[in-house]
Amino acid sequence: MIPVIEALLPLFVGAPLLVGGAFFVAPAHHRLRQVLGAASLVALLVGAVVLVVITADGTVLAHQVALWPGGIAIPFVADAFSSLLLLVTAILSTVTFGHLITSGEARSPSIASFVLVLAGGVAGALLTADLFNLFVFIEVMLLPSYGLLVILSRRGDLGGSRLYVTVNLLASTLFLAGVGLIYAVQGTVNLAELAGAGDDPATAIAAAVCLSAIAVKAAVFPAHGWLARTYGAASPAVAALFSGLHTKVAVYIIFRISAVIFEGDPAWMTPIIIVATITLLVGALTSLGESEMRPLLVFQMVSGIGFILVGVAVFTPAGLAAGVVYMVHHMIVMGSLLLIAGAIEQTYGSGHLSRVSGLRTREPLLTAVFVVGALSLAGLPPFSGFVAKYALVQATAEGGQVLVAGLLIVASLLALVAMMKIWAEMFNGKRHADVELLAAEARIRERHALLDDQPVDADAVAEEAALAVERHEPPRGAETAADDDDPHEHRGTRVPVRLLVPSLVLAAISVGLGLGAEGLLQLAEQAAAGLVDINDYVRAVIDR
């Protein structure tokens, strides 16, 4: 059974790429593309579950493509760490693709192709054990990402897309230069053959070049500013997809290079913990100054990257396990919150905290999903965030980094303040007088595909707003509870339930991870064990 599964490892990469490529050239109705695309992602998800089950006991699967000898074949490896992340990325890909369909953003015939190619690239980056092929798969990830950004940029804002292309091209060039330097020094870019090569100063410097490039892609301080500009301009579903895939794949690579090449050498981990601590504080503080929901969440995402990297820098079994748990939690919760922000923006035409307010009484389901995500992000029990932050603080303190442990708690409190800011202004505030007009204008713009700088007739907006108020009856009992100064408190525009289902699914997973934390911790501990002791990983790659 195991040899069969090993031989099928390339399919995790090849199948999405083939199906996505076929969509580009094969004539098909867009609904058929959506169905086949969703089915492909579900198949990837099922395959990832199988890999997690097999590798949960420490088993390492490896396969050389087409049985070519090492150095020529592309080595694919699946251990507990890569399998777990493959599963989470498959979940996020499936859910966000569902959001793209329900929100109508998947109407373009290229969207299904782009998402599948992106998923294939992510699978390749997680499963390959070769630095050059890692570079190739990163580029495979980037190409469809450019397409998604251009096609689904928010109302024609292409500035973020150009910045994304520029930053990632420069970072990819730097990464390739680092890979070339490693090959020049060691004569190989196979990770298994590079085990412990960080002891050589020249190799260590070359690997540090690779880490620097990857840190830019992960949006680590001081190279984090591009993230808010890019993700703010992207479609909310694309931002949620990228938050779970692009930055987290970059963090995965930092985990892997630190473990295999540097073997957790404290001399190299010290700079990482300094940068990680600054990143988590800068992200948390900057988010407090934002006045829109999505940029606020994006800077919280930057802070989360710092949390995860602290687990890498501590480099104890407990620290690495805590970092893995935090990464899984953060991918799920941030995806849920970004999709909520997207549903609000699409429905009300704005994500500004003061312009869209009073959602608590009008949107009970939306409010419930947000509360789950917000409390989990802040790290309150019983959600996954509490488990992740508790494990990370404990591991950091036990690793002798008491000050860093204290700063983790401070950043967590700042995250709670940021979530309270959203709650106070967007959910608990009084409904803004113009919110119905804002939502009506958004619907007209979407209906006629108008950009932000294109005018909309004021009479048409007013008529659209009046129709929405008449169409939506207040919920039972709301009429008597309505404020006398605002008789339409519960009338008018509502976020469609179909837009909330994807974020609801992710929020439910977050609750499940919190209540079933023991299972996640066991998987994370097995992943950490494979990073601390890389002998099984090396043996699996070289012996094949």
Side-chain angles (χ1 to χ4, degrees):
M1 181 65 181
I2 295 295
V4 174
I5 299 297
E6 288 179 326
L8 294 177
L9 282 180
L11 281 181
F12 286 88
V13 184
L17 293 180
L18 286 173
V19 176
F23 284 174
F24 278 119
V25 297
H29 191 273
H30 74 280
R31 286 289 183 194
L32 181 60
R33 292 175 192 266
Q34 292 173 359
V35 172
L36 293 178
S40 301
L41 291 173
V42 170
L44 180 65
L45 175 60
V46 172
V49 171
V50 173
L51 285 186
V52 168
V53 171
I54 292 175
T55 59
D57 62 352
T59 299
V60 181
L61 307 177
H63 179 73
Q64 306 282 1
V65 172
L67 303 179
W68 287 98
I72 299 177
I74 301 174
F76 283 100
V77 186
D79 61 0
F81 186 30
S82 56
S83 300
L84 179 59
L85 283 194
L86 184 64
L87 173 60
V88 181
T89 56
I91 292 172
L92 274 176
S93 300
T94 306
V95 172
T96 51
F97 187 62
H99 184 91
L100 285 168
I101 293 175
T102 56
S103 65
E105 293 177 288
R107 283 174 296 190
S108 169
S110 302
I111 298 302
S113 299
F114 286 146
V115 173
L116 285 174
V117 174
L118 175 58
V122 171
L126 293 176
L127 295 178
T128 186
D130 181 284
L131 287 177
F132 179 74
N133 289 301
L134 178 58
F135 164 77
V136 172
F137 285 123
I138 289 174
E139 294 308 300
V140 171
M141 291 170 54
L142 292 180
L143 287 173
S145 302
Y146 301 152
L148 287 171
L149 281 171
V150 170
I151 294 176
L152 298 179
S153 287
R154 189 170 64 169
R155 297 170 186 173
D157 182 1
L158 296 180
S161 306
R162 288 194 289 269
L163 179 62
Y164 181 85
V165 171
T166 303
V167 170
N168 279 281
L169 281 179
L170 291 175
S172 294
T173 304
L174 183 62
F175 183 77
L176 184 60
V179 173
L181 290 173
I182 290 176
Y183 186 78
V185 175
Q186 292 288 335
T188 181
V189 288
N190 187 299
L191 273 175
E193 295 176 0
L194 291 172
D199 292 339
D200 174 57
T203 306
I205 292 173
V209 172
C210 292
L211 283 180
S212 300
I214 293 302
V216 173
K217 290 178 178 290
V220 174
F221 176 86
H224 65 286
W226 65 271
L227 197 72
R229 179 70 181 90
T230 299
Y231 284 25
S235 151
V238 171
L241 185 66
F242 286 8
S243 74
L245 269 56
H246 280 292
T247 53
K248 301 309 184 294
V249 165
V251 173
Y252 165 83
I253 297 169
I254 294 174
F255 266 88
R256 192 64 82 185
I257 291 179
S258 299
V260 175
I261 298 181
F262 292 107
E263 294 186 322
D265 185 347
W268 289 96
M269 296 304 106
T270 300
I272 293 179
I273 201 167
I274 293 173
V275 172
T277 306
I278 295 174
T279 300
L280 71 91
L281 289 176
V282 168
L285 288 170
T286 310
S287 70
L288 297 179
E290 292 295 331
S291 57
E292 292 190 46
M293 185 175 181
R294 188 134 61 107
L296 187 153
L297 293 174
V298 170
F299 280 112
Q300 279 296 322
M301 192 169 73
V302 172
S303 181
I305 297 293
F307 272 87
I308 299 167
L309 291 183
V310 166
V312 181
V314 172
F315 212 86
T316 61
L320 289 167
V324 172
V325 171
Y326 197 92
M327 182 153 54
V328 172
H329 141 74
H330 203 252
M331 292 167 74
I332 298 294
V333 170
M334 192 51 68
S336 175
L337 288 172
L338 284 170
L339 290 180
I340 291 173
I344 293 173
E345 287 181 23
Q346 181 169 347
T347 305
Y348 290 98
S350 173
H352 201 286
L353 300 183
S354 62
R355 297 198 70 183
V356 181
S357 53
L359 295 179
R360 180 176 63 83
T361 54
R362 291 164 56 85
E363 306 276 6
L365 181 58
L366 173 74
T367 303
V369 177
F370 169 76
V371 168
V372 170
L375 295 182
S376 187
L377 186 70
L380 296 181
F383 306 108
S384 58
F386 172 74
V387 178
K389 291 191 175 183
Y390 178 78
L392 196 56
V393 170
Q394 187 178 36
T396 306
E398 290 175 350
Q401 302 289 345
V402 178
L403 176 60
V404 176
L407 293 175
L408 290 174
I409 296 174
V410 171
S412 299
L413 293 175
L414 292 174
L416 179 60
V417 173
M419 295 302 102
M420 289 175 65
K421 180 178 179 179
I422 296 177
W423 173 261
E425 297 189 30
M426 182 171 270
F427 284 85
N428 204 36
K430 186 177 177 61
R431 189 172 70 125
H432 194 280
D434 295 334
V435 69
E436 208 56 57
L437 295 176
L438 200 63
E441 182 178 330
R443 286 194 295 273
I444 293 174
R445 288 188 182 281
E446 182 179 2
R447 191 181 306 146
H448 299 288
L450 299 176
L451 302 179
D452 276 351
D453 56 352
Q454 293 178 289
V456 178
D457 183 68
D459 292 337
V461 172
E463 183 179 354
E464 176 74 21
L467 287 174
V469 172
E470 292 178 4
R471 188 164 52 245
H472 294 279
E473 294 295 328
R476 183 177 301 173
E479 286 181 327
T480 56
D483 192 303
D484 291 340
D485 297 332
D486 188 1
H488 300 302
E489 182 74 25
H490 298 281
R491 296 178 182 272
T493 302
R494 307 265 175 78
V495 176
V497 174
R498 58 183 168 78
L499 288 183
L500 294 179
V501 171
S503 53
L504 178 62
V505 170
L506 294 178
I509 293 174
S510 173
V511 175
L513 291 176
L515 298 177
E518 184 64 24
L520 176 60
L521 284 171
Q522 288 179 0
L523 287 173
E525 287 169 359
Q526 191 60 60
L531 292 170
V532 173
D533 182 359
I534 59 173
N535 287 328
D536 289 343
Y537 182 89
V538 172
R539 196 178 304 116
V541 177
I542 293 180
D543 289 349
R544 296 301 195 280

